[in-house]
């Protein structure tokens, strides 16, 4: 059986999609604001990768190996999160809520908790950005699989998510 089976499920999926999009934007805003790093020194996107890809290219062109490595590692963290979503749901069914989605969202939540702990324990480190990027990758992977790859809850990340889900 494929497809949404009831209006209640459709409303639930719609509301969850809105909530997940808000979550992604909120997380991205926190990471971009500098509020999570010591003295606001690091400001980094974790759910939209157009700027990250551009910054990595500029860093490479300017010979800034450290920044280039950091930007690329964030992209790979996001793809890694989407890969985890794909591994945990190898046979996705479009428009159908399946039991394996719960543990997958739990995994994404654990990555977000790890990002919070990393921000508190090591505020001048960058691990929090990697964990937040992985959480967004898991989230985007799940919503992509549910919606037959039509809906993304993060910004301009379709290609990165698809690479992770392959």
């Amino acid at each position: 059986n494929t497809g949404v089976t009831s209006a209640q499920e459709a409303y639930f999926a719609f509301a969850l999609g809105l909530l997940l999009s808000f979550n992604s934007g909120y997380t991205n805003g926190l990471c971009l604001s500098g509020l999570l790093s010591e003295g606001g020194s690091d400001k980094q996107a974790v759910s939209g990768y157009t700027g990250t890809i551009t910054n990595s290219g500029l860093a490479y062109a300017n010979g800034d190996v450290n920044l280039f490595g950091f930007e690329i590692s964030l992209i790979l963290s996001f793809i890694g999160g989407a890969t985890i979503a794909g591994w945990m749901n190898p046979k996705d069914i479009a428009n159908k809520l399946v039991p394996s989605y719960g543990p997958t969202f739990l995994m994404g939540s654990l990555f977000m908790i790890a990002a919070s702990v990393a921000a508190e324990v090591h505020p001048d480190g960058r691990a929090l950005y990697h964990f937040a990027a992985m959480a967004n990758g898991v989230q985007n992977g799940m919503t992509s699989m549910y919606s037959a790859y039509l809906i993304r809850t993060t910004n301009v990340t379709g290609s990165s998510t698809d690479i992770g889900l392959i």
Side-chain angles (χ1 to χ4, degrees):
N1 185 16
T2 61
V4 176
T5 58
S6 70
Q8 182 179 4
E9 184 179 336
Y11 291 133
F12 174 76
F14 179 74
L16 187 62
L18 289 177
L19 184 63
L20 291 172
S21 294
F22 172 81
N23 177 63
S24 176
Y26 183 78
T27 302
N28 203 46
L30 282 174
C31 291
L32 278 170
S33 71
L35 290 173
L36 301 178
S37 62
E38 188 71 33
S41 58
D42 280 330
K43 298 177 181 181
Q44 179 63 51
V46 295
S47 72
Y49 287 96
T50 303
T52 304
I53 291 168
T54 302
N55 287 339
S56 69
L58 291 172
Y60 182 77
N62 291 327
D64 189 342
V65 177
N66 289 332
L67 181 58
F68 174 75
F70 176 59
E71 300 288 347
I72 293 298
S73 69
L74 283 175
I75 295 166
L76 293 175
S77 294
F78 183 91
I79 291 171
T83 300
I84 289 168
W87 284 339
M88 293 181 76
N89 300 279
K91 297 186 188 307
D92 57 307
I93 301 171
N95 304 311
K96 178 107 174 115
L97 297 174
V98 295
S100 61
Y101 287 179
T104 308
F105 276 119
L106 181 60
M107 179 64 71
S109 298
L110 292 174
F111 285 133
M112 196 59 75
I113 290 168
S116 299
V117 170
E120 184 65 30
V121 173
H122 197 45
D124 56 343
R126 292 182 164 174
L128 72 103
Y129 300 107
H130 291 97
F131 286 124
M134 289 182 81
N136 278 290
V138 169
Q139 173 185 304
N140 210 46
M142 291 301 304
T143 55
S144 296
M145 287 186 289
Y146 174 79
S147 69
Y149 303 91
L150 296 175
I151 298 172
R152 314 289 184 175
T153 57
T154 58
N155 180 32
V156 194
T157 54
S159 300
S160 299
T161 299
D162 292 345
I163 290 168
L165 291 174
I166 290 178

